[in-house]
């Protein structure tokens, strides 16, 4: 363990701040009011060097009942707790409430410190020790070392340091891998630098210059400068108390309770699914009760929606949804505490199952089962459930964010599921995305069914328009994901892709026999007309074609290259047009130039057709207009030389 955060806990005036000063030499009472009243109101901070050389940060939290919300803002990130109990008073109300909070937040390590031992005799001290042992039975601190100290005389301070050092070796280090998350517990402005926030870095490694996002307001910023234990550093890692000088952010935009994080890893939400525990000391909690949620360093009013009952009894646990009155940003597995609205006291807490939850219908078995899977299922079960519920293609990063699992765990689990043919991998630019095999097959059959019907209705078209397919049937999927999905389906020979259309692999646009005869007759009309073709409406009338089908046939003939559009509503048979082009080229090779009138005579047509033809050949780079005449382009002249 190379980085450690120690937090104090205990009743008001039991000597927490004096103890921190005795250990570190730092008076954590910063405010004038704190000094005048002799109690801590806000969080205090100090650094401590252990006998082993381990550097720790100490968070001194208030003990007074009125300031427990401030205590909660600091206790969320601690690794080891010093439960401070004064020898002259023993276990008191806020001792119990602080211990409840320690239990709810699952802080597993600690040292029990009996302070003010210089004020009592041995017999009384032994009675207090027994009282504390009874109080701690069944808690996370039941087997914690107990040290007697006096911050005035210095008695027991060396023993306490050794005890803290020993327990610290057993603390599990916070992950330095993964994304940065720092709940803000203090914010202030420094002249010449701007906004500074402080907090405990919960995960990741933060470097000077890193891009950051302030949640839940989604404010973009950057780490201009970092400090750890008052010293300027280039990087800070999980488990350290960190001060961050933020760029481009006003103090008012980053209140306590904000979270500074790697951009994109958190999503603000008004609903969170949780596993809720109600303390045995609390009153029964009714559905839709209004409570105070303490999450990280934030305090938010919310309502508790009990999903499987009307009332939660003391000492019991239940799946629930928290409806927040303002958004919060968290990850699966984060711990929280709830306090009653009035009178204000700690009544329970628990763990977040889904930090961005949809609204649920109560008393539904399928809802409860999904929450249980998300809470206790294997990575395979959790990820399959997430993919099935999202009904979309998701990357490993998106799955990690949605499921609360580490991204590397997601990648390894997806690889195993792919080997079992449970999921389909969808290549997407420089990364891979995933889709359950069952959904992939359902989507493929849906697309094939729609395209099959389309081919039946429009046998002359290439296929169903891609974008129309996405917007009508896959509107939740962005275009990149949809095109990647189609590519995989084409590789599986389930569809055939054209530039803008989707077809079945076995399909070729072609008319039925009766229609084919009419099309042949239509083409003969244009072929016989040569360079004086009829208007489309006249030609189709002669061929016995009209309405929408006539337009279908026109598009078919144009795509097949059997007819060529020369101008608006002017179409030439492809063979006639090629013959006219060659006659024009031969004439220009010999004469060098040609007028509209000469073109009319050459092609045995009228000016009505000669001029559009020349303009068409201009666009095709066969001829070039020079004044009132046409000459061959350089490209055509080079062909002659070759």
């Amino acid at each position: 363990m190379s980085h450690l955060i120690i937090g104090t806990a205990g009743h008001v005036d039991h000597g927490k701040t004096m103890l921190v000063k005795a250990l570190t030499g730092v008076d954590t009472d910063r405010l004038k009011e704190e000094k005048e009243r002799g109690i801590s109101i806000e969080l205090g901070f100090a650094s401590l060097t252990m006998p082993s050389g381990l550097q720790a940060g100490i968070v001194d939290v208030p003990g007074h009942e009125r300031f427990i919300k401030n205590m909660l803002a600091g206790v969320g990130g601690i690794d080891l707790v010093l439960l401070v109990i004064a020898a002259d008073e023993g276990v008191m109300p806020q001792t119990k409430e602080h211990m409840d909070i320690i239990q709810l937040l699952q802080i597993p390590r600690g040292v029990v410190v009996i302070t003010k031992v210089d004020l009592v005799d041995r017999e009384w001290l032994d009675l207090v020790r027994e009282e504390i042992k009874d109080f701690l039975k069944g808690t996370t601190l039941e087997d914690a070392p107990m040290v007697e100290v006096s911050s005035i005389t210095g008695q027991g301070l060396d023993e306490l340091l050794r005890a803290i050092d020993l327990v610290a070796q057993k603390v599990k280090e916070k992950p330095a891998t993964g994304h940065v998350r720092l709940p803000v517990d203090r914010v202030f402005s420094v002249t010449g630098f701007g906004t500074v926030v402080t907090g405990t870095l919960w995960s990741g490694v933060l470097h000077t210059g890193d891009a950051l996002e302030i949640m839940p307001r989604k404010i973009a910023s950057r780490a201009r400068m970092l400090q750890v234990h008052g010293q300027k550093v280039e990087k800070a890692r999980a488990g350290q108390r960190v001060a961050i000088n933020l760029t481009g952010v006003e103090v008012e935009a980053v209140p306590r309770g904000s979270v500074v994080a790697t951009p994109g890893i958190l999503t603000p939400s008004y609903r969170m699914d949780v596993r809720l525990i109600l303390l045995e000391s609390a009153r029964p909690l009714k559905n839709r009760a209004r409570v105070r949620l303490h999450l990280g360093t934030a305090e938010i009013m919310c309502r508790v929606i009990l999903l499987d009952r009307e009332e939660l009894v003391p000492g019991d646990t239940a799946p629930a949804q928290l409806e927040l009155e303002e958004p919060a940003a968290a990850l699966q597995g984060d711990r929280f505490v709830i306090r009653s609205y009035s009178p204000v006291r700690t009544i329970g807490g628990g763990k977040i199952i889904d930090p961005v939850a949809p609204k649920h219908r109560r008393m539904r078995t399928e809802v409860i089962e999904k929450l249980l899977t998300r809470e206790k299922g294997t990575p395979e079960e959790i990820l399959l459930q997430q993919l099935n519920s999202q009904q979309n293609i998701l990357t490993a990063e998106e799955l990690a964010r949605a499921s609360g699992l580490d991204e590397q765990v997601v990648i390894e689990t997806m690889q195993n599921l792919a080997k079992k043919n449970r999921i389909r991998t969808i290549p997407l630019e420089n990364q891979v995305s995933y889709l359950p095999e069952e959904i992939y097959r359902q989507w493929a059959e849906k697309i094939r069914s729609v395209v099959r019907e389309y081919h039946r209705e429009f046998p002359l078209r290439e296929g169903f328009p891609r974008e129309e397919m996405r917007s009508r049937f896959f509107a939740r999927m962005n275009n990149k994901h949809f095109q990647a999905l189609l590519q995989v389906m084409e590789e599986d020979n389930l569809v055939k892709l054209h530039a803008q259309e989707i077809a079945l692999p076995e399909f070729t646009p072609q008319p039925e026999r009766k229609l084919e005869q009419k099309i042949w007759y239509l083409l003969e009309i244009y072929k016989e007309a040569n360079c004086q073709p009829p208007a489309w409406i006249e030609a189709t009338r002669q061929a016995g074609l009209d309405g929408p089908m006539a337009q279908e046939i026109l598009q078919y003939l144009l795509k097949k290259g059997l007819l060529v559009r020369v101008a608006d509503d002017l179409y030439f048979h492809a063979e006639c047009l090629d013959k006219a082009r060659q006659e024009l080229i031969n004439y220009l090779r010999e004469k060098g130039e040609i007028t509209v009138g000469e073109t009319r005579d050459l092609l045995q047509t009228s000016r009505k057709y000669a001029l559009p033809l020349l303009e068409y050949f201009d666009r095709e780079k066969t001829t070039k207009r020079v004044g009132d005449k046409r000459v061959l382009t350089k490209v055509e002249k080079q062909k002659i030389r070759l």
Side-chain angles (χ1 to χ4, degrees):
M1 184 72 184
S2 56
H3 304 280
L4 184 74
I5 300 296
I6 300 170
T8 64
H11 193 74
V12 62
D13 202 29
H14 273 207
K16 296 186 294 298
T17 302
M18 283 292 291
L19 176 65
V20 173
K21 184 176 181 180
L23 289 172
T24 67
V26 176
D27 183 356
T28 57
D29 279 347
R30 299 178 290 107
L31 305 178
K32 179 182 178 183
E33 185 183 359
E34 290 177 330
K35 302 218 179 266
E36 290 175 350
R37 294 171 61 179
I39 62 171
S40 295
I41 298 171
E42 277 285 359
L43 300 171
F45 305 99
S47 61
L48 174 67
T49 302
M50 307 285 191
S52 65
L54 172 66
Q55 191 79 7
I58 297 184
V59 182
D60 181 25
V61 303
H64 195 283
E65 183 275 332
R66 287 175 55 197
F67 306 119
I68 282 185
K69 70 174 184 180
N70 292 341
M71 177 266 187
L72 281 160
V75 76
I78 71 173
D79 304 294
L80 182 155
V81 64
L82 300 182
L83 181 61
V84 178
I85 302 173
D88 58 339
E89 290 190 330
V91 177
M92 296 293 283
Q94 266 61 65
T95 312
K96 295 176 181 178
E97 187 164 11
H98 280 208
M99 192 61 222
D100 284 338
I101 292 167
I102 290 167
Q103 288 283 96
L104 292 167
L105 295 178
Q106 292 289 289
I107 300 169
R109 306 282 180 187
V111 177
V112 180
V113 187
I114 304 176
T115 57
K116 304 186 180 182
V117 296
D118 54 309
L119 301 181
V120 300
D121 57 30
R122 186 71 250 175
E123 184 177 358
W124 178 264
L125 193 54
D126 289 340
L127 289 172
V128 171
R129 289 180 68 95
E130 288 304 312
E131 179 194 22
I132 294 171
K133 285 180 181 179
D134 289 340
F135 167 63
L136 294 177
K137 280 182 181 177
T139 73
T140 56
L141 298 185
E142 181 176 4
D143 299 321
M146 193 179 300
V147 183
E148 302 166 3
V149 303
S150 168
S151 300
I152 301 298
T153 67
Q155 176 186 339
L157 291 178
D158 290 340
E159 182 186 352
L160 175 59
L161 274 174
R162 288 192 295 270
I164 295 171
D165 206 357
L166 187 63
V167 173
Q169 308 307 316
K170 302 174 184 178
V171 173
K172 186 177 179 181
E173 195 163 11
K174 286 186 172 71
T177 57
H179 302 295
V180 166
R181 268 206 304 163
L182 181 141
V184 175
D185 53 39
R186 284 176 63 201
V187 56
F188 49 90
S189 181
V190 176
T191 303
F193 293 93
T195 300
V196 176
V197 298
T198 69
T200 299
L201 192 56
W202 279 13
S203 62
V205 176
L206 176 60
H207 299 82
T208 301
D210 280 355
L212 296 168
E213 189 172 33
I214 300 161
M215 301 298 286
R217 299 187 180 186
K218 290 187 172 182
I219 300 172
S221 185
R222 193 170 293 278
R224 177 186 285 132
M225 186 171 64
L226 302 174
Q227 282 192 357
V228 174
H229 301 307
Q231 301 296 315
K232 184 178 177 181
V233 296
E234 290 302 312
K235 73 174 181 178
R237 55 155 294 148
Q240 292 182 319
R241 287 288 308 172
V242 184
I244 310 172
N245 180 203
L246 297 172
T247 63
V249 180
E250 298 297 325
V251 169
E252 296 76 17
V254 197
R256 174 190 283 177
S258 302
V259 181
V260 176
T262 301
I265 69 158
L266 296 175
T267 303
S269 175
Y270 283 92
R271 288 190 180 90
M272 296 183 178
D273 290 335
V274 302
R275 168 63 59 180
L276 181 63
I277 303 165
L278 192 63
L279 294 173
E280 292 184 358
S281 58
R283 294 177 180 176
L285 187 71
K286 294 184 182 297
N287 180 52
R288 295 201 62 80
R290 192 166 184 247
V291 299
R292 302 170 188 272
L293 169 68
H294 292 268
L295 178 63
T297 57
E299 179 188 14
I300 302 168
M301 299 304 301
C302 70
R303 290 194 182 275
V304 178
I305 311 301
L306 299 173
L307 297 174
D308 65 349
R309 65 195 74 192
E310 294 298 334
E311 183 178 87
L312 184 60
V313 298
D316 206 354
T317 177
Q321 184 168 89
L322 303 181
E323 284 190 352
L324 282 56
E325 295 182 10
E326 55 186 274
L331 292 178
Q332 182 177 3
D334 286 354
R335 311 291 306 193
F336 66 91
V337 170
I338 60 170
R339 306 187 79 209
S340 56
Y341 177 64
S342 181
V344 182
R345 62 175 180 271
T346 302
I347 59 172
K351 182 171 67 173
I352 292 175
I353 299 174
D354 186 350
V356 189
K359 187 173 184 177
H360 299 306
R361 296 183 69 177
R362 299 178 61 237
M363 309 300 180
R364 296 283 176 154
T365 303
E366 64 273 17
V367 171
I368 306 304
E369 287 177 352
K370 284 183 178 180
L371 290 183
L372 287 174
T373 298
R374 173 126 190 185
E375 180 184 9
K376 299 180 179 179
T378 64
E380 285 191 3
E381 292 170 335
I382 293 169
L383 292 171
L384 282 173
Q385 176 183 291
Q386 194 66 42
L387 282 167
N388 281 298
S389 65
Q390 292 274 353
Q391 291 284 301
N392 209 337
I393 298 170
L394 298 176
T395 64
E397 182 180 355
E398 290 168 333
L399 277 170
R401 193 184 315 146
S403 66
L405 296 171
D406 182 78
E407 190 171 334
Q408 189 58 40
V409 172
V410 171
I411 293 171
E412 292 171 1
T413 303
M414 289 293 100
Q415 289 171 345
N416 291 333
L417 286 169
K419 290 176 183 176
K420 298 175 184 178
N421 295 320
R422 300 287 303 280
I423 63 105
R424 180 60 63 107
T425 56
I426 311 291
L428 185 65
E429 294 179 343
N430 296 324
Q431 54 186 334
V432 175
S433 51
Y434 306 98
L435 183 68
E437 183 68 25
E438 184 178 351
I439 292 179
Y440 172 77
R441 292 294 170 185
Q442 290 173 0
W443 286 356
E445 187 49 45
K446 175 66 176 178
I447 290 172
R448 283 174 57 83
S449 175
V450 171
V451 173
R452 189 180 297 113
E453 185 60 33
Y454 192 82
H455 287 333
R456 193 175 293 120
E457 186 176 356
F458 303 104
L460 301 181
R461 297 187 185 182
E462 290 279 8
F464 196 98
R466 291 198 199 192
E467 179 53 29
E468 185 179 345
M469 181 72 76
R470 189 195 68 81
S471 61
R472 281 180 59 185
F473 302 105
F474 300 90
R476 292 177 58 193
M477 193 183 305
N478 67 45
N479 189 52
K480 285 185 179 179
H481 282 171
F482 185 65
Q483 300 307 326
L485 174 68
L486 291 179
Q487 289 292 338
V488 173
M489 289 183 179
E490 185 176 47
E491 290 168 10
D492 287 345
N493 201 36
L494 297 172
V495 298
K496 179 171 64 177
L497 300 180
H498 299 290
Q500 301 298 331
E501 298 88 16
I502 309 166
L504 296 182
E506 63 275 15
F507 175 77
T508 301
Q510 58 185 13
E512 297 174 357
R513 178 161 303 207
K514 283 185 180 180
L515 187 59
E516 189 175 18
Q517 291 175 351
K518 291 184 177 183
I519 292 174
W520 178 84
Y521 181 64
L522 181 67
L523 287 172
E524 283 300 307
I525 292 172
Y526 275 92
K527 193 171 184 179
E528 289 178 8
N530 196 11
C531 291
Q532 299 188 74
W536 176 252
I537 191 168
E538 293 176 8
T540 53
R541 189 181 297 118
Q542 290 180 51
L545 295 165
D546 56 16
M549 181 52 70
Q551 195 60 30
E552 288 288 320
I553 291 171
L554 176 59
Q555 297 305 318
Y556 170 72
L557 294 175
L558 291 173
K559 282 189 176 181
K560 295 284 284 186
L562 298 173
L563 285 186
V564 178
R565 189 195 305 271
V566 170
D568 289 343
D569 198 33
L570 181 59
Y571 306 97
F572 278 68
H573 193 288
E575 290 182 13
C576 297
L577 191 64
D578 286 342
K579 183 181 175 182
R581 177 189 285 108
Q582 193 57 51
E583 289 183 13
L584 184 62
I585 290 172
N586 291 340
Y587 183 93
L588 289 172
R589 284 176 179 173
E590 182 180 348
K591 305 290 186 181
E593 59 186 25
I594 194 169
T595 64
V596 175
E598 290 167 339
T599 303
R600 176 197 60 205
D601 297 339
L602 175 68
L603 301 178
Q604 298 180 17
T605 184
S606 67
R607 187 179 179 87
K608 173 184 175 182
Y609 300 104
L611 182 58
L613 274 170
L614 286 174
E615 290 174 346
Y616 171 79
F617 290 134
D618 289 345
R619 293 195 300 273
E620 291 293 302
K621 307 299 183 185
T622 299
T623 59
K624 180 176 69 171
R625 181 174 177 175
V626 179
D628 293 332
K629 300 178 181 180
R630 259 68 177 187
V631 298
L632 287 175
T633 60
K634 289 183 179 179
V635 173
E636 288 298 333
K637 288 179 179 178
Q638 287 174 353
K639 288 180 182 178
I640 294 170
R641 295 192 191 99
L642 293 173

